[in-house]
Amino acid sequence: MRKILIATFIMFFASQWAVAQTKITWRKLENVTFTDKYSEEEEAYYFYPEFGASIKALEGKEVLLKGYMLSVNQKDDIFILSKNPYSSCFFCGNGGPESIAELEFSGRHRRFKIDQIVTIKGVLKLNQEDMYHCNYILTEAEEYDPE
């Protein structure tokens, strides 16, 4: 009986470990290179990403990412998580497209203040083709509080 309990205990924690989130850093998201690609639709060039192997391995996985909250449009629930605060974010000319992640919240969430530091849990989606969205998107996003 004791062996069955121990085996059950090990299987339970092993399954919990398998579905755990992976904490990633902005440094890890720098494993990407960009080339200029022309858009016929926009008649302009944009940064086309080539993701490194370590980033590709995280696609579709649940991750944790800490950063500064930027509200693009609260009414339409459009938020960006940034490596840098608003005054020095990608949109203000500092950093590259790898320094932001678009957030697609899974449901209701509290109001965020600009530059509020938060950790977000979400499923990492890599975007190469849709120039109207960020290269990194966290789907099923929600604020993560370890307590």
Side-chain angles (χ1 to χ4, degrees), residues 7-130:
T8 303
F9 181 78
I10 291 170
M11 287 175 51
F12 172 77
F13 282 104
S15 68
Q16 293 301 308
W17 178 260
V19 297
Q21 307 85 15
T22 301
K23 185 176 180 181
I24 61 173
T25 64
W26 293 104
R27 186 115 168 114
K28 184 156 190 96
L29 295 178
E30 291 175 3
N31 186 9
V32 60
T33 57
F34 296 95
T35 56
D36 287 339
K37 187 172 183 181
Y38 188 75
S39 165
E40 295 288 337
E41 181 181 347
E42 291 295 324
E43 298 180 349
Y45 287 92
Y46 69 98
F47 290 134
Y48 181 81
E50 285 291 334
F51 301 106
S54 65
I55 295 299
K56 286 181 181 178
L58 292 170
E59 185 168 24
K61 300 228 169 50
E62 192 171 67
V63 298
L64 298 173
L65 183 61
K66 185 176 182 178
Y68 294 90
M69 185 62 74
L70 307 180
S71 173
V72 177
N73 184 329
Q74 283 195 17
K75 180 180 163 247
D76 292 330
D77 216 27
I78 301 173
F79 292 91
I80 300 289
L81 192 65
S82 174
K83 173 183 177 181
N84 302 310
Y86 181 73
S87 63
S88 60
C89 72
F90 166 66
F91 301 107
C92 296
N94 291 317
E98 73 282 357
S99 66
I100 58 172
E102 184 174 341
L103 304 176
E104 293 180 358
F105 283 99
S106 60
R108 296 179 54 95
H109 55 83
R110 68 184 175 100
R111 289 183 60 99
F112 297 104
K113 296 178 183 174
I114 294 291
D115 286 346
Q116 181 176 354
I117 298 173
V118 295
T119 299
I120 299 294
K121 174 176 74 169
V123 176
L124 182 63
K125 177 181 175 184
L126 303 180
N127 173 34
Q128 285 183 298
E129 301 300 328
D130 189 347

